[in-house]
Amino acid sequence: MGRHVGTISVGIRLPIIKQGDDLTKIVVESVLNAKEDGFDVANRDVIAITESIVARSQGNYATINAIAKDVKQKFSSDTIGVIFPILSRNRFAILLKGIAMGVKKIYLMLSYPSDEVGNALLTYDEVDAKNVNPYSDVLTLKQYRELFGYKKHEFTGVDYVSYYKELIESVGCECEVIFANQAKTILNYTKNVLACDIHTRFRTKRILKENGANIVLGLDDILTSSVDGSGFNQKYGLLGSNKSTEDKVKLFPRDAQDLVLNVQKQILEKTGKHVEVMVYGDGAFKDPQGKIWELADPVVSPFFTEGLIGTPNELKLKYLADNDYKELKGEELRDAIKNAIKAKSGSLVGNMASEGTTPRQLTDLIGSLCDLTSGSGDKGTPVILVKGYFDNYTNE
C-alpha cells in the first residue's frame, strides 16, 4: 500500500475578520500559507468557511431595537404568542428581548421536556414519574413549579423558565408562561403567533393557520429586509443568528454564493487545482450526554459549489470483507475490494454492499466534520481545509 493516510481535516488560522474585509483574498492567502506547515492544496480538496466570519465581513448585524420595530410593524396586536423557542442564551435570549420590546404581552409557550434541539427543561423520566403526558397535557407555570420545582440546565446552570420570563418583564412586557407541545394550544390564548422553532417551523405555521390563527409568523419572517439600515436575511430572517453584544445580534450570512465561487476560482488560478468551497455553520450531530442536537442553524451550509451537491455513493468495506470476499485475505482480499470499488457505477441505493453507509447530504457531513474541527471557542481557525474526502481505498 503506497499511502497510509485518508481524509484529513485541518484548521486554518486567519486574522480576526471585521466588516469590510476582503474575505476572498484573506481565505485564499491563508489556505495557501498552510503549505508552510505541509498542507498543500490538491484537486477536490474542500475549503470550508464558517458562517460567522462571512456575516462579520458583511456587517450583517441588527439591534434589538430593529427587531422590536419589525415585530411591531408585522403584528397588528400588542399581545402575541411566542411558541417553541430553543433554550439558549446565545441563540434566542437576545431575540426574545427584542420581540418583547415590540409588544405589550407575550404568552410564552415552551415545549417540554426539552426544546427542538434537545436542550432539556426536564428528563422524560421526571415527566413519567409525575404521570404527565407531554403529548397532550398543558401546564401552567404554577402547575409546572408544583410538579417539578426549579430546574437548572445541566450545562449552563440556568433556569430557562425564570430567565425567559424575567427577560420579557425586564423591558416592561407582561408575560404568561405555558408548557405544551401542540402548536394549536396557543390559540386558546391569542390568535397572533410567532413560531420560533427551526426545523419544524413550516408544519407549525401550517397547523396554526389551519386552526384559525390570525397572524402567523416565524423567526424566518422577522428582519427579512433592512429596518433603519440594519442587517437582514431575506431567506432566513432571524434564524441562525447569534448574540454579538447585549443589544445586537449577528445574523446568518446572505448573498455569499459569489464568495465560494470566487475562492474556488482564485485557488484554480493560483495553483491549477480545482477545489470545492462551502460556507458552514452548526454541524448536525447529537451529544449522547446532554442529548443536544447541535443544529440550531436553519441549514448546515447555506452556500456551496456545485461539486458538493448530493450524497456519498460508497461501498461498505466490512460488508464486502465479511460477505462477498469472506474466503479471501491479505493482498488477495485487498485487490478484490479495490476492484469492486473501481467497478461501481451509478447509484448504489438499494445495494446491500452500501448498507450502513451514511445517506446524508455531502454538505451536512462535511459541515459537521468542519464544525467539530473549528470548534466555537478560541482556536482561531474559522476556515477548514479538508483533504482526501472524496478519495477511497483505491487512491494511492
Side-chain angles (χ1 to χ4, degrees):
M1 184 181 296
R3 180 170 157 187
H4 299 279
V5 176
T7 302
I8 303 171
S9 177
V10 182
I12 303 296
R13 289 183 175 177
L14 263 67
I16 304 301
I17 302 299
K18 304 290 283 187
Q19 181 176 350
D21 285 347
D22 185 342
L23 193 56
T24 297
K25 180 175 183 290
I26 293 171
V27 169
V28 169
E29 288 180 351
S30 299
V31 169
L32 296 182
N33 286 341
K35 183 176 182 178
E36 298 175 9
D37 295 320
F39 298 102
D40 208 353
V41 173
N43 283 318
R44 297 223 73 189
D45 282 354
V46 180
I47 297 172
I49 308 163
T50 186
E51 60 83 20
S52 176
I53 62 169
V54 179
R56 286 172 64 85
S57 68
Q58 294 175 337
N60 203 20
Y61 293 86
T63 65
I64 55 176
N65 289 325
I67 295 172
K69 185 171 182 178
D70 207 30
V71 167
K72 189 171 184 178
Q73 289 174 340
K74 289 176 175 173
F75 282 101
S76 59
S77 171
D78 286 333
T79 298
I80 66 171
V82 172
I83 71 171
F84 302 155
I86 64 172
L87 307 176
S88 171
R89 294 168 296 176
N90 175 47
R91 288 285 192 170
F92 186 73
I94 191 167
L95 304 184
L96 181 59
K97 187 175 182 180
I99 294 163
M101 290 168 59
V103 295
K104 293 182 178 178
K105 181 171 182 177
I106 285 177
Y107 288 97
L108 179 65
M109 194 170 89
L110 301 175
S111 53
Y112 74 97
S114 65
D115 69 12
E116 177 188 7
V117 296
N119 292 298
L121 289 172
L122 309 161
T123 67
Y124 275 99
D125 288 335
E126 289 171 323
V127 171
D128 292 343
K130 298 295 183 179
N131 293 316
V132 173
N133 184 345
Y135 303 102
S136 59
D137 291 347
V138 178
L139 304 177
T140 65
L141 179 58
K142 183 175 184 293
Q143 290 170 326
Y144 175 87
R145 293 300 190 198
E146 288 173 349
L147 287 166
F148 304 111
Y150 291 77
K151 302 286 295 184
K152 292 185 177 181
H153 191 277
E154 177 183 4
F155 295 143
T156 66
V158 174
D159 177 346
Y160 280 96
V161 178
S162 294
Y163 179 49
Y164 279 2
K165 186 174 189 296
E166 291 166 4
L167 190 150
I168 291 169
E169 294 171 340
S170 72
V171 297
C173 181
E174 186 180 349
C175 178
E176 184 173 333
V177 183
I178 310 149
F179 301 84
N181 290 310
Q182 298 295 331
K184 63 184 179 181
T185 299
I186 195 64
L187 300 179
N188 296 324
Y189 303 85
T190 177
K191 303 296 184 183
N192 301 300
V193 186
L194 180 62
C196 298
D197 45 344
I198 305 164
H199 308 291
T200 54
R201 65 189 184 277
F202 297 112
R203 177 174 183 265
T204 296
K205 288 193 273 189
R206 173 182 58 79
I207 289 171
L208 291 168
K209 291 173 183 177
E210 290 174 352
N211 284 274
N214 180 17
I215 297 176
V216 177
L217 299 174
L219 289 179
D220 55 337
D221 298 308
I222 307 300
L223 287 189
T224 52
S225 60
S226 181
V227 174
D228 297 334
S230 74
F232 64 95
N233 190 301
Q234 61 269 53
K235 184 174 183 179
Y236 296 117
L238 291 176
L239 289 177
S241 60
N242 293 84
K243 179 179 179 179
S244 174
T245 68
E246 293 303 321
D247 63 356
K248 186 167 66 174
V249 295
K250 176 196 66 59
L251 302 173
F252 211 46
R254 65 177 194 270
D255 306 327
Q257 190 62 27
D258 283 348
L259 169 68
V260 298
L261 292 174
N262 287 336
V263 169
Q264 184 184 57
K265 179 182 177 183
Q266 289 195 22
I267 291 291
L268 181 62
E269 290 173 349
K270 292 177 181 294
T271 68
K273 305 299 183 183
H274 179 86
V275 300
E276 304 298 341
V277 185
M278 62 186 285
V279 174
Y280 72 97
D282 276 346
F285 45 82
K286 188 171 183 177
D287 168 31
Q289 174 64 32
K291 309 298 188 292
I292 298 169
W293 183 38
E294 176 72 7
L295 186 56
D297 287 327
V299 291
V300 172
S301 178
F303 306 101
F304 48 87
T305 51
E306 188 175 356
L308 295 176
I309 296 172
T311 60
N313 197 46
E314 301 172 341
L315 294 171
K316 197 77 168 180
L317 298 194
K318 64 183 181 183
Y319 180 90
L320 294 175
D322 291 345
N323 291 273
D324 295 35
Y325 309 120
K326 62 184 178 182
E327 304 301 329
L328 304 180
K329 61 181 179 179
E331 290 187 10
E332 194 176 7
L333 174 59
R334 182 197 65 194
D335 292 342
I337 288 179
K338 282 188 173 184
N339 288 333
I341 294 171
K342 291 176 180 177
K344 70 180 181 181
S345 63
S347 172
L348 294 174
V349 173
N351 187 324
M352 288 299 291
S354 69
E355 182 183 21
T357 58
T358 308
R360 292 168 57 188
Q361 293 185 106
L362 289 168
T363 50
D364 293 344
L365 291 165
I366 298 171
S368 298
L369 169 64
C370 293
D371 188 28
L372 288 168
T373 303
S374 61
S376 57
D378 57 7
K379 288 184 172 61
T381 57
V383 169
I384 304 299
L385 175 63
V386 181
K387 300 183 64 60
Y389 189 84
F390 294 100
D391 290 353
N392 60 44
Y393 193 56
T394 67
N395 294 108
E396 297 295 342

